[in-house]
C-alpha cells in the first residue's frame, strides 16, 4: 500500500498528490520494470521515518484499489 510520496502526473506534469492506493505486485517484479529513476532525495512522510529515495517510472505497474483511510 502506498502511504506518502505518490503523485498524479498528467501530460508530464505533477497535477496532484494521491494517497493510499493498494497494489498486489511483487516488489522484485516492480524493480525489474523500472524505466526511469531520478536522483535520490531526502523525504519524510506523515507516519514514516526520514529516508532517501528516488522517484521511479515503472512500466506496467498496476494499482488494484483505493483504501478507505
Amino acid at each position: 500500500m502506498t502511504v506518502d510520496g505518490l503523485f498524479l502526473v498528467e501530460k508530464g506534469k505533477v497535477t496532484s498528490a494521491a494517497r493510499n492506493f493498494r497494489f498486489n505486485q511483487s516488489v522484485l517484479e516492480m524493480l525489474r520494470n523500472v524505466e526511469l529513476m531520478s536522483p535520490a532525495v531526502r523525504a519524510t512522510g506523515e507516519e514514516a521515518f526520514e529516508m532517501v529515495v528516488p522517484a521511479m517510472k515503472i512500466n506496467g505497474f498496476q494499482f488494484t484499489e483505493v483504501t478507505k483511510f
Side-chain angles (χ1 to χ4, degrees):
M1 183 172 63
T2 64
V3 181
D4 296 317
L6 179 69
F7 301 96
L8 177 61
V9 177
E10 296 177 307
K11 297 181 181 177
K13 300 208 183 256
V14 174
T15 58
S16 65
R19 292 189 57 153
N20 300 333
F21 282 92
R22 190 174 303 278
F23 58 91
N24 295 321
Q25 192 163 357
S26 156
V27 172
L28 295 176
E29 180 183 334
M30 177 196 76
L31 292 172
R32 275 196 302 268
N33 292 321
V34 171
E35 192 173 320
L36 297 170
M37 190 178 305
S38 75
V41 295
R42 188 166 306 279
T44 187
E46 293 174 10
E47 300 172 11
F49 51 89
E50 192 171 290
M51 60 194 114
V52 178
V53 294
M56 293 183 279
K57 179 181 179 189
I58 301 165
N59 190 26
F61 192 83
Q62 299 291 315
F63 290 101
T64 57
E65 62 185 309
V66 177
T67 61
K68 300 205 189 290
F69 52 90

